[in-house]
């Protein structure tokens, strides 16, 4: 495995440390080398996941990037990050490449340990050395706080809201079978702006009356993107309907019927097959300008248009901090049709607009160091 000059220098520094440690502790060099490998992996493994689907996604992306770019040496694996066209793709590639390297290192360590148990000394040494070289590559390419690429969000759904047709026109582009199958799902997207990943968990709908006796629809949504300091586990969002919107009025009647049949709750969900079908439909009709996520920006615009307070906006969108809503929607593109919004969520909303957050990663934990009255920089 070919290393760069800087990586070889780093490797030699570590080998000197390992030899000294082996002499001091009276241990084999291989044991100390394996310990150093684990130190590097633990330091950089902040994206560890026990979720099988996420694990498989990272490995799939890693293998695709490696197999499609065989001219790129693993020692310069971070060059593949320049293939990303958006910030979200960049984050996915970076995490997947790091995760894939760590996975390879651990597999080599397992094989080395197996060789040791079978007294295949030369094979054990060779496998440990390969794992050590990969750990050097990992350290060099993905060291903490390494500068990342800055992207201009040209295709942000927020910026392409003016290209988004209303739901009535979207449904006109579907055949009758698709309209029957997807209409309720799209109306829920339009009313509540939930994430596709949240819809897969199912949404519970109820009809109620607010304090003024006006009919409202309440949605209980299980959140996605939940972290130690981010996201809402569960949120309950309430909205009125547009009185002159035929789709909304039909939907109200349908929810009423479903409630009667299902013990007072209409549970609606979007499975993976439906999600893929709808995503393909939007791409064929509107390219990258409009997607299911566009509804989320549209709802954020609706919330801002009627001057909803920031805590309610955050809760309605499933955010835990008020800063996040500044990246969604805008005041000009909303069209709430006089709708009213209310929301409650699992966690209290944190007010971070006037704070700067420095994220320090160490063994999967996040330490927030903040200073007041400094513009946020992420």
């Amino acid at each position: 495995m070919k290393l760069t000059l800087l990586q070889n220098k780093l490797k030699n520094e570590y080998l000197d440390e390992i030899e000294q440690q082996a002499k001091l502790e009276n241990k084999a060099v291989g044991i100390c080398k394996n310990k150093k490998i684990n130190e590097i992996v633990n330091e950089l493994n902040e994206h560890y996941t026990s979720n099988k689907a996420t694990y498989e996604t990272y490995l799939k992306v890693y293998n695709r990037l490696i197999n499609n770019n065989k001219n790129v040496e693993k020692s310069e694996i971070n060059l593949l990050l320049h293939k990303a066209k958006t910030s979200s793709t960049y984050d996915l590639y970076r995490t997947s490449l790091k995760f894939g390297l760590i996975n390879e290192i651990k597999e080599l360590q397992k094989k080395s340990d197996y060789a040791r148990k079978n007294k295949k000394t030369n094979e054990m040494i060779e496998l440990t050395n390969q794992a050590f070289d990969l750990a050097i590559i990992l350290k060099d390419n993905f060291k903490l706080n390494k500068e990342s690429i800055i992207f201009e969000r040209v295709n942000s759904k927020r910026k392409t809201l003016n290209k988004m047709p209303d739901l009535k026109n979207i449904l006109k582009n579907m055949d009758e079978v698709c309209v029957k199958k997807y209409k309720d799902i799209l109306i829920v997207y339009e009313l509540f702006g939930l994430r596709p990943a949240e819809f897969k968990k199912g949404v519970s709908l109820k009809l109620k009356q607010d304090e003024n006796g006006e009919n409202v629809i309440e949605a209980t949504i299980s959140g996605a993107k939940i972290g130690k300091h981010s996201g809402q586990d569960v949120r309950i969002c309430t909205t009125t309907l547009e009185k002159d919107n035929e789709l909304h009025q039909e939907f109200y009647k349908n929810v009423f019927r479903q409630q009667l049949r299902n013990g007072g709750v209409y549970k609606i969900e979007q499975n993976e097959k439906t999600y893929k079908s709808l995503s393909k439909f939007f791409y064929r009709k509107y390219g990258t300008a409009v997607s299911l996520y566009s509804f989320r920006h549209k709802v954020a615009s609706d919330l801002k248009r009627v001057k909803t307070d920031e805590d309610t906006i955050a809760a309605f969108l499933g955010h835990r901090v008020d800063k996040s809503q500044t990246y969604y929607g805008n005041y000009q593109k909303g069209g709430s049709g006089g709708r009213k919004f209310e929301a409650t969520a699992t966690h209290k909303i944190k007010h971070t607009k006037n704070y700067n957050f420095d994220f320090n990663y160490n063994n999967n934990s996040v330490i927030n160091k903040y200073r007041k009255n400094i513009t946020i920089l992420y």
Side-chain angles (χ1 to χ4, degrees):
M1 194 178 302
K2 189 178 179 181
L3 301 181
T4 65
L5 289 173
L6 286 174
Q7 288 166 1
N8 273 314
K9 183 180 178 182
L10 180 62
K11 178 181 177 178
N12 290 330
E13 288 174 1
Y14 281 157
L15 286 173
D16 288 340
E17 288 179 21
I18 289 165
E19 287 178 8
Q20 290 176 16
Q21 185 183 12
K23 288 177 182 178
L24 286 171
E25 299 179 5
N26 196 26
K27 291 181 178 178
V29 171
I31 293 173
C32 295
K33 187 180 286 187
N34 210 46
K35 185 178 179 182
K36 190 66 181 179
I37 293 170
N38 290 334
E39 283 179 11
I40 294 171
V41 168
N42 290 336
E43 177 191 358
L44 296 172
N45 196 18
E46 77 268 19
H47 289 106
Y48 168 79
T49 178
S50 58
N51 185 293
K52 186 178 178 182
T54 305
Y55 175 90
E56 289 174 351
T57 298
Y58 288 160
L59 284 186
K60 186 177 180 181
V61 172
Y62 174 76
N63 290 326
R64 175 168 57 81
L65 288 170
I66 295 297
N67 293 331
N68 291 346
N69 299 279
K70 292 182 178 179
N71 59 319
V72 177
E73 295 281 348
K74 275 191 180 174
S75 57
E76 297 180 318
I77 201 170
N78 61 357
L79 291 176
L80 298 178
L81 296 174
H82 292 275
K83 292 189 172 292
K85 303 299 182 185
T86 65
S87 58
S88 59
T89 307
Y90 173 87
D91 290 339
L92 174 62
Y93 284 5
R94 182 177 171 83
T95 301
S96 298
L97 289 171
K98 188 191 300 185
F99 191 86
L101 280 177
I102 290 172
N103 188 66
E104 278 195 40
I105 291 167
K106 290 182 176 180
E107 287 299 317
L108 286 167
Q109 287 180 304
K110 286 179 185 177
K111 290 177 181 178
S112 176
D113 191 50
Y114 181 79
R116 177 187 62 79
K117 290 175 181 177
N118 288 277
K119 298 182 180 180
K120 297 179 180 180
T121 307
N122 291 336
E123 185 179 341
M124 175 193 73
I125 293 171
E126 176 60 27
L127 289 166
T128 300
N129 287 339
Q130 288 178 28
F132 184 64
D133 283 353
L134 276 181
I136 297 296
I137 290 170
L138 176 70
K139 177 73 173 180
D140 178 58
N141 282 278
F142 299 102
K143 55 192 173 187
L144 297 180
N145 301 322
K146 193 158 187 174
E147 188 177 349
S148 61
I149 300 170
I150 304 299
F151 290 90
E152 182 183 356
R153 295 189 172 187
V154 177
N155 286 324
S156 166
K157 298 300 177 286
R158 180 186 183 188
K159 291 184 178 180
T160 57
L161 266 177
N162 59 331
K163 297 180 181 179
M164 185 179 181
D166 60 31
L167 183 55
K168 190 174 182 179
N169 284 319
I170 290 172
L171 292 172
K172 280 181 181 179
N173 284 313
M174 291 183 172
D175 58 44
E176 289 184 14
V177 174
C178 288
V179 169
K180 187 176 180 180
K181 189 187 296 186
Y182 301 135
K183 183 168 70 173
D184 278 9
I185 289 173
L186 291 173
I187 291 174
V188 173
Y189 271 120
E190 184 192 40
L191 291 175
F192 298 102
L194 67 169
R195 301 177 178 95
E198 294 169 336
F199 216 152
K200 291 176 187 177
K201 298 178 182 181
V203 180
S204 296
L205 300 173
K206 288 183 181 180
L207 298 182
K208 291 190 171 184
Q209 286 189 331
D210 65 12
E211 57 188 15
N212 298 317
E214 192 169 0
N215 292 329
V216 298
I217 292 185
E218 177 189 279
T220 301
I221 302 167
S222 296
K225 293 189 176 181
I226 309 299
K228 187 176 180 181
H229 302 280
S230 61
Q232 298 287 358
D233 299 280
V234 178
R235 62 187 186 274
I236 299 174
C237 305
T238 304
T239 180
T240 54
L241 299 173
E242 296 177 17
K243 294 179 181 178
D244 57 349
N245 187 315
E246 291 180 11
L247 289 172
H248 285 191
Q249 298 309 315
E250 286 177 21
F251 182 66
Y252 183 89
K253 293 174 184 176
N254 188 35
V255 174
F256 181 75
R257 287 192 294 268
Q258 294 293 338
Q259 274 193 182
L260 292 177
R261 295 173 189 165
N262 300 290
V265 176
Y266 176 21
K267 182 107 182 233
I268 181 170
E269 63 183 53
Q270 169 195 260
N271 58 33
E272 184 66 20
K273 184 178 179 181
T274 299
Y275 168 69
K276 288 181 178 178
S277 296
L278 284 171
S279 295
K280 286 177 182 177
F281 164 79
F282 276 96
Y283 184 75
R284 285 197 302 267
K285 293 294 181 183
Y286 310 109
T288 59
V290 181
S291 73
L292 291 172
Y293 217 82
S294 298
F295 288 105
R296 187 163 171 77
H297 286 277
K298 171 69 165 50
V299 169
S301 297
D302 293 346
L303 286 157
K304 292 177 180 181
R305 192 79 178 270
V306 295
K307 298 182 179 179
T308 309
D309 68 271
E310 292 180 347
D311 281 14
T312 300
I313 294 175
F316 203 97
L317 295 175
H319 296 148
R320 204 182 302 185
V321 294
D322 60 354
K323 178 69 181 178
S324 300
Q325 65 195 251
T326 61
Y327 302 108
Y328 286 83
N330 54 57
Y331 289 94
Q332 288 74 35
K333 301 299 178 184
S336 65
R339 284 166 58 202
K340 299 173 185 175
F341 305 91
E342 291 183 6
T344 57
T346 308
H347 301 281
K348 186 178 179 181
I349 306 303
K350 296 178 182 178
H351 303 104
T352 63
K353 280 191 172 182
N354 297 320
Y355 290 79
N356 178 42
F357 281 78
D358 296 325
F359 293 90
N360 295 324
Y361 294 92
N362 185 17
N363 293 331
N364 227 17
S365 65
V366 181
I367 303 169
N368 296 327
K369 297 179 180 179
Y370 52 87
R371 297 182 298 279
K372 200 169 183 180
N373 298 323
I374 298 179
T375 306
I376 198 158
L377 299 176
Y378 63 84

